[in-house]
């Protein structure tokens, strides 16, 4: 036997002795896995989903001035903060999430709009309905002379 083989055999025996020594035994705990239940979303009426979609589109265009005219209780602050923090979501997902937490803010805005305008938010079934109303409302604002 060569010197190298002796050293290799000696190291193998030392490792074997360490494995058998209970003082050096390492015990790995089992993983404690916790899974979160998927979030259950409230069922929202279609007119509210359509308005939220329109609102988010206007938010993306920085064009919420008309809707701001109807914000009496600063509902838009809550909505906009949520949108800024979660803007990375696709629009469909963002609508579902924003309505989960801020549906009452959207309803308050719609209540103010329906008080001042001759529209029923529940009859506004499409994005185009809201866009048409928005442009008509914008046309009512007098132009500047300067």
């Amino acid at each position: 036997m060569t010197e190298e083989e002796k050293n290799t055999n000696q190291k193998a025996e030392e490792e074997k002795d360490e494995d058998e020594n209970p003082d050096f035994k390492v015990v790995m705990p089992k993983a404690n896995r916790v899974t979160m239940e998927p979030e259950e979303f409230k069922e929202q009426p279609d007119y509210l989903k359509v308005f939220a979609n329109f609102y988010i589109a206007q938010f993306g265009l920085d064009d919420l001035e008309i809707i701001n005219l109807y914000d009496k209780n600063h509902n838009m602050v809550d909505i906009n903060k949520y949108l800024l923090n979660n803007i990375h979501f696709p629009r469909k997902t963002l609508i579902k999430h924003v309505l989960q937490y801020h549906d009452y803010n959207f309803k308050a805005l719609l209540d103010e709009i329906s008080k001042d305008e001759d529209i029923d938010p529940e009859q506004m079934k499409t994005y185009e309905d809201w866009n048409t109303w928005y442009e008509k409302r914008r046309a009512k604002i007098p132009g500047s002379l300067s």
Side-chain angles (χ1 to χ4, degrees):
M1 238 200 275
T2 65
E3 190 67 37
E4 190 175 314
E5 289 175 341
K6 287 180 185 177
N7 288 340
T8 306
N9 288 342
Q10 186 178 7
K11 285 181 184 177
E13 286 179 26
E14 287 174 4
E15 288 176 4
K16 185 179 178 185
D17 290 341
E18 287 177 6
D19 288 342
E20 294 172 4
N21 188 344
D23 294 338
F24 296 111
K25 187 172 183 179
V26 177
V27 178
M28 294 296 293
K30 296 208 181 227
N32 185 11
R33 299 185 190 272
V34 177
T35 56
M36 291 179 54
E37 296 295 322
E39 187 172 7
E40 292 185 26
F41 291 95
K42 299 182 272 189
E43 186 61 35
Q44 300 291 350
D46 287 339
Y47 77 93
L48 200 56
K49 292 177 193 174
V50 170
F51 181 70
N53 183 29
F54 176 76
Y55 185 97
I56 293 168
Q58 296 306 109
F59 176 83
L61 297 171
D62 293 329
D63 189 20
L64 291 171
E65 292 83 11
I66 304 296
I67 295 175
N68 189 46
L69 298 173
Y70 303 99
D71 188 17
K72 307 293 186 211
N73 294 319
H74 310 291
N75 292 296
M76 290 176 66
V77 173
D78 294 335
I79 296 169
N80 292 351
K81 183 177 180 187
Y82 186 85
L83 293 176
L84 280 173
N85 289 335
N86 296 285
I87 203 68
H88 60 278
F89 284 122
R91 171 115 30 113
K92 202 173 197 177
T93 305
L94 189 56
I95 291 168
K96 187 168 48 170
H97 283 253
V98 76
L99 287 175
Q100 177 77 358
Y101 304 108
H102 295 286
D103 58 341
Y104 62 94
N105 293 114
F106 283 106
K107 288 176 183 174
L109 286 172
L110 288 173
D111 288 344
E112 291 298 323
I113 290 171
S114 63
K115 268 196 254 180
D116 291 347
E117 298 288 323
D118 189 26
I119 62 167
D120 179 11
E122 293 184 28
Q123 298 304 315
M124 305 288 273
K125 304 247 185 234
T126 65
Y127 180 93
E128 287 305 316
D129 291 341
W130 280 109
N131 197 41
T132 302
W133 167 78
Y134 206 73
E135 292 306 319
K136 284 181 185 175
R137 181 61 183 88
R138 185 189 309 278
K140 290 180 184 177
I141 298 174
S144 173
L145 296 176
S146 57

